[in-house]
Amino acid sequence: MNELRGERGLRRLIAIDVRSLAILRIGLAIIILVDLAQRVGSVALFCSDQAVVDRELNHWLCPPSEGFWSLYWLDGSTGFASMLLAINAVAAVFLLLGWQTRIATTVCLVLAYSLQMRMPLILTAGHVLLRMLLFWSLFLPLGAAWSLDAGRKRDGKAKTYAQVISIATAAIMLQVALMYLFSGIAKWNEIWLRGEAMSLAMQLDMYVRPLGRELLQRPELLMLLTFLTLLLECIGPLLLWMPYANAQWRTALAVMFWVLHIGIWLTMSIGIFSAVAMLAWVVFLPSGFWQFFESDRAKKIAQAATQPNILRLGLFPSIVCGLFVVYIVALNVANINPVQSKAWFGTPLRKIGNATMTLQQFKMFERPAKENLWWRLIYTNSAGTKMDAFQPVPQPLTDVAQRPESNEIYLSMPDQFWRRLLFNLATMVPQTAADGEQLNRLRLRAGNALWSMRNEERQYDVRGSVEFNCCRQSIDASDWTPPVQVEKWATIDP
């Protein structure tokens, strides 16, 4: 229990128990496998030249001239994309078992980045954090415990546990702390400081689960949660480095952030973010935390090995790791105000992050959107009646601008990827006429893909073309109901 009583010194602040690294390895592998499983049915929609984003549009969104790359760009066929997903899954299984762990981590990282750059419009903060945890894991002994690699190296000797200290342990801890700190800094605006952010977020019908809508009936609680979230994100990362009673602080903070992310998961559908963020906190759990779950014999063995072991990375890996630490700190500082920071952190430096898979920006719900979005696919049946494919069961449509029920908007989204895609298509602002043309092309391809998916499920009775519309309605706190604005995005030939 020495760890839970706290210990001083810089070494203790950057020490990670190898059992925490084992849980990190297992968790990363499981999340990757779940994410890949969710994508299997939509490989053609998101990873091929028949997808919403073909390679031409992909290069417009992620220009190779700016350092972006993806293995999925080598071939635009569905078969090739499926092969890369299969390789990714095999590498994730190897990572789960801890077999050839470093090689498996490298493959998972490269393919995770490639997949993210292949479809950047469905990228979330959870995917970015997942990638960065894989990146720093390259420098860490993820297979030191509870792995096939550890069993092979132990050769029948008694099981012992230890802590690891290196610049890489400091780096992965700093990465997690930076995510929350800079997300908190981004939230330091009038919406959060007035306590309105949670109330606005819980009105975004395309994301909010039933429990979130129930919370709208408790505005005082939402205001309190707004302030608590802001305080936790701004202060929590600093308390992680308290030199006194550090083990207690970190354990308490881990529990608080777990509660925060469980709450987010229960109220909003935002993909893998909550799972990845909760997993990231295991690197801060002290050795004493794991001793609670051990037998007396295991505790005695562990106590004999609680002195931190310095991981000898070698000079070159240590220099590389140190340079990336400096880079990600500078990148996150520059992201506070990208326009003003161009003078000292311009395009050449950002290309480094794009090329080395370390690009990142954490501004989760910095300013919750002040408008609700939903889509409508409108077709005419053989009887000449306009029908709404938005509804689970096709119904005659009398008014395109009629607002659906909140739960209907939520259920109309095929999955988390479509939620993110349609949100980005609705909020992208083209800077040039050429950008506008590309955005229109994107919306047309998205409409075609969405219609094909819906029509394949239900075999609609269609006569003529299909309209793909985006509807917007401002979120207003007063009793006044703002009008619905309808944008015609595309006309689809079924």
Side-chain angles (χ1 to χ4, degrees), residues 333-346 350 361 363:
V333 172
N335 285 338
I336 295 175
N337 193 323
V339 176
Q340 291 185 1
S341 65
K342 280 185 177 180
W344 59 274
F345 203 95
R350 291 190 176 274
Q361 184 173 17
K363 295 186 177 183

Side-chain angles (χ1 to χ4, degrees), residues 170-305:
I172 196 168
M173 288 178 165
L174 186 62
Q175 177 69 74
V176 179
L178 288 176
M179 179 188 73
Y180 289 106
L181 178 61
F182 284 96
S183 176
I185 291 173
K187 292 180 174 69
W188 203 260
N189 55 57
E190 70 282 0
I191 296 177
W192 283 85
L193 294 176
R194 288 201 301 257
E196 299 174 353
M198 285 293 184
S199 179
L200 287 172
M202 294 304 154
Q203 295 181 66
L204 299 175
D205 292 329
M206 68 189 301
Y207 292 110
V208 178
R209 301 181 192 270
L211 180 59
R213 288 193 288 273
E214 287 294 324
L215 288 178
L216 284 174
Q217 310 305 317
R218 298 169 175 80
E220 296 83 5
L221 177 59
L222 287 175
M223 180 176 289
L224 176 61
L225 292 174
T226 299
F227 291 136
L228 288 177
T229 301
L230 181 60
L231 182 66
L232 191 58
E233 289 193 352
C234 290
I235 304 300
L238 304 179
L239 295 178
L240 287 170
W241 311 103
M242 289 286 287
Y244 300 99
N246 183 261
Q248 291 99 319
W249 278 111
R250 289 186 171 180
T251 303
L253 285 167
V255 172
M256 285 188 283
F257 275 99
W258 283 339
V259 170
L260 170 65
H261 290 297
I262 290 172
I264 294 173
W265 177 77
L266 289 173
T267 55
M268 304 191 76
S269 178
I270 54 173
I272 65 172
F273 175 66
S274 292
V276 179
M278 290 178 69
L279 174 65
W281 277 96
V282 300
V283 301
F284 293 103
L285 296 178
S287 293
F289 176 87
W290 299 112
Q291 291 174 17
F292 279 118
F293 307 99
E294 294 177 341
S295 64
D296 291 338
R297 180 176 178 276
K299 288 179 181 178
K300 291 178 181 179
I301 295 174
Q303 286 171 356

Side-chain angles (χ1 to χ4, degrees), residues 251-440:
T251 303
L253 285 167
V255 172
M256 285 188 283
F257 275 99
W258 283 339
V259 170
L260 170 65
H261 290 297
I262 290 172
I264 294 173
W265 177 77
L266 289 173
T267 55
M268 304 191 76
S269 178
I270 54 173
I272 65 172
F273 175 66
S274 292
V276 179
M278 290 178 69
L279 174 65
W281 277 96
V282 300
V283 301
F284 293 103
L285 296 178
S287 293
F289 176 87
W290 299 112
Q291 291 174 17
F292 279 118
F293 307 99
E294 294 177 341
S295 64
D296 291 338
R297 180 176 178 276
K299 288 179 181 178
K300 291 178 181 179
I301 295 174
Q303 286 171 356
T306 52
Q307 292 302 313
N309 295 335
I310 298 176
L311 176 62
R312 304 293 181 183
L313 286 178
L315 180 60
F316 181 71
S318 297
I319 292 174
V320 171
C321 196
L323 288 175
F324 274 112
V325 169
V326 174
Y327 179 81
I328 66 162
V329 172
L331 175 59
N332 279 282
V333 172
N335 285 338
I336 295 175
N337 193 323
V339 176
Q340 291 185 1
S341 65
K342 280 185 177 180
W344 59 274
F345 203 95
T347 302
L349 282 175
R350 291 190 176 274
K351 285 183 179 179
I352 294 175
N354 300 341
T356 59
M357 303 177 286
T358 55
L359 71 155
Q360 58 189 271
Q361 184 173 17
F362 299 106
K363 295 186 177 183
M364 296 82 76
F365 283 95
E366 165 195 14
R367 290 177 177 271
K370 290 189 174 182
E371 64 177 4
N372 260 311
L373 301 166
W374 64 92
W375 54 270
R376 286 194 185 277
L377 285 169
I378 304 169
Y379 67 95
T380 304
N381 64 15
S382 57
T385 304
K386 286 188 176 297
M387 304 294 291
D388 182 12
F390 172 92
Q391 303 288 347
V393 177
Q395 297 179 8
L397 183 66
T398 56
D399 183 7
V400 179
Q402 182 180 356
R403 190 189 191 285
E405 295 293 330
S406 296
N407 66 317
E408 291 179 349
I409 294 176
Y410 178 80
L411 294 173
S412 72
M413 301 297 162
D415 54 37
Q416 57 176 312
F417 304 123
W418 276 101
R419 283 188 177 89
R420 190 66 182 168
L421 173 62
L422 293 173
F423 177 82
N424 281 324
L425 291 179
T427 55
M428 289 176 67
V429 180
Q431 301 298 315
T432 64
D435 288 342
E437 292 177 2
Q438 295 285 45
L439 178 57
N440 288 334

Side-chain angles (χ1 to χ4, degrees), residues 101-102 117 132 145 148 155 184 211 244 272 279 295 393 426 442 471 484 490:
T101 306
R102 201 172 301 279
M117 293 306 103
M132 290 312 302
L148 294 179
D155 294 328
L211 180 59
Y244 300 99
I272 65 172
L279 174 65
S295 64
V393 177
L442 261 175
C471 301
V484 175

